[in-house]
Amino acid sequence: MTSVRSTTSYSHVNISEPETRHLRQRLEVEITWLSRQMQELKGANESPDISLLQTYREMIFSRRALLGRIPR
């Protein structure tokens, strides 16, 4: 009988604590900037660009997901 192996594998990268802190800080700065951009776009007098709003939402979502996977 042949065993089937999972094709999903996770590799862990060993990076230093300062590098981890820097990456977390950079992601937090980007999330803040994107959130502000999105709020400014929503607050504009003209009708907001819906596709740009969605792009901001997706960018924020992906950065939060990555941030959640980085060890503290």
Side-chain angles (χ1 to χ4, degrees):
M1 206 176 224
T2 309
S3 66
V4 177
R5 290 183 177 214
S6 172
T7 57
T8 304
S9 67
Y10 297 97
S11 62
H12 297 279
V13 178
N14 292 325
I15 62 174
S16 69
E17 185 178 331
E19 290 173 317
T20 301
R21 279 193 311 252
H22 177 72
L23 180 57
R24 289 186 68 81
Q25 181 183 24
R26 179 70 188 163
L27 287 168
E28 290 167 353
V29 166
E30 288 182 14
I31 290 167
T32 300
W33 184 84
L34 288 165
S35 296
R36 287 181 181 154
Q37 293 298 108
M38 193 168 71
Q39 291 305 315
E40 287 179 21
L41 187 60
K42 285 180 179 179
N45 291 335
E46 58 205 49
S47 60
D49 182 341
I50 302 301
S51 62
L52 186 54
L53 281 173
Q54 184 60 30
T55 300
Y56 285 144
R57 281 188 201 102
E58 290 173 9
M59 292 173 74
I60 291 168
F61 177 84
S62 65
R63 281 158 178 77
R64 283 182 178 156
L66 181 57
L67 192 57
R69 295 181 66 198
I70 297 174
R72 295 180 184 249

